[in-house]
Amino acid sequence: MAATGSSLFLASPVATAPRARGRSTLSAASPARPSLRPRSTAVAAAVQAEHQPAVAAAPKPPALPFRVGHGFDLHRLEPGLPLIIGGIDIPHDRGCDAHSDGDVLLHCVVDAILGALGLPDIGQIFPDSDPRWKGADSSVFMREAVKLMHEAGYELGNLDATLILQKPKISPFKETIRSNLCDLLGADPSVVNLKAKTHEKVDSIGENRSIAAHTVVLLMRK
């Protein structure tokens, strides 16, 4: 998984359990504590099992003083699936249809970091054609992106993310989501910003049939 050589080697994909349909959720009245799925200690241990080249001849990024990356993700919403945003289960009658857990925010942040480093996107490094990523916890992808960032000699300058969804209202859960995002990034809350907007009932997002996110990151040379 070193980004310091001529090739990018990622730890092998991890066999993860399918998504549980009955996981606990947050309610608007709940205290601002993450209702997270178990942290991936088993996943992190299993990551060391074997190595597989993910991308051939991925170049080491030039030693620029800073690098900027943009991430975008969109998922279709379907009834009966959990809605997971930033590692938090959000109460809703629909959730993201995806190969992994469908966490639109974490996927978006991962792509922004990878983009800033000049690396392939999340779909290439963790392809949805690989059954080993079925139902995977997106915190695995986040930790890999953060590791690659540090190995390339960068740290997070700041991050600005925007969630776009018609329902549900995110304001009761926003600080919990942001807190968990800071934890995964190893970042101070002062450099991580999260906004949420509706789509004014326009197109699939406005009709509550999909959810999207944009993220911009600034990486600073250590």
Side-chain angles (χ1 to χ4, degrees):
M1 298 208 283
T4 55
S6 60
S7 297
L8 170 64
F9 285 85
L10 293 178
S12 70
V14 180
T16 54
R19 288 175 287 179
R21 300 303 171 111
R23 57 167 58 95
S24 60
T25 59
L26 288 176
S27 66
S30 301
R33 297 279 300 174
S35 177
L36 298 173
R37 288 145 304 142
R39 296 284 181 161
S40 335
T41 48
V43 170
V47 158
Q48 303 172 8
E50 65 183 31
H51 292 272
Q52 171 185 332
V55 181
K60 179 180 178 180
L64 301 174
F66 62 86
R67 300 179 69 94
V68 175
H70 171 261
F72 169 77
D73 197 30
L74 180 145
H75 283 290
R76 186 172 66 253
L77 292 173
E78 295 288 353
L81 295 176
L83 180 60
I84 302 164
I85 301 177
I88 307 301
D89 291 323
I90 305 297
H92 194 41
D93 61 352
R94 299 179 179 221
C96 291
D97 183 29
H99 186 69
S100 65
D101 64 1
D103 193 323
V104 68
L105 178 59
L106 295 193
H107 293 181
C108 185
V109 172
V110 168
D111 257 352
I113 294 172
L114 295 176
L117 296 174
L119 296 175
D121 63 40
I122 189 174
Q124 291 177 266
I125 296 179
F126 301 100
D128 60 9
S129 58
D130 191 334
R132 290 173 291 183
W133 297 120
K134 180 67 175 175
D137 188 323
S138 293
S139 64
V140 176
F141 311 148
M142 276 287 296
R143 291 189 176 98
E144 179 62 22
V146 170
K147 182 178 180 181
L148 290 170
M149 175 181 71
H150 289 306
E151 288 178 344
Y154 289 88
E155 60 187 357
L156 184 68
N158 74 295
L159 177 151
D160 186 31
T162 303
L163 287 165
I164 310 171
L165 71 168
Q166 197 66 32
K167 296 178 182 179
K169 294 294 185 184
I170 294 300
S171 54
F173 317 108
K174 193 165 87 169
E175 286 308 309
T176 305
I177 294 170
R178 189 167 76 103
S179 175
N180 191 53
L181 188 57
C182 291
D183 183 51
L184 290 169
L185 291 164
D188 188 272
S190 64
V191 301
V192 176
N193 189 45
L194 175 63
K195 307 181 298 295
K197 297 185 178 296
T198 71
H199 218 238
E200 299 295 336
K201 299 183 179 180
V202 175
D203 68 32
S204 66
I205 298 176
E207 293 169 359
N208 195 32
R209 294 187 288 110
S210 64
I211 178 174
H214 288 271
T215 300
V216 177
V217 298
L218 173 66
L219 306 187
M220 306 294 294
R221 193 76 184 169
K222 291 182 181 180

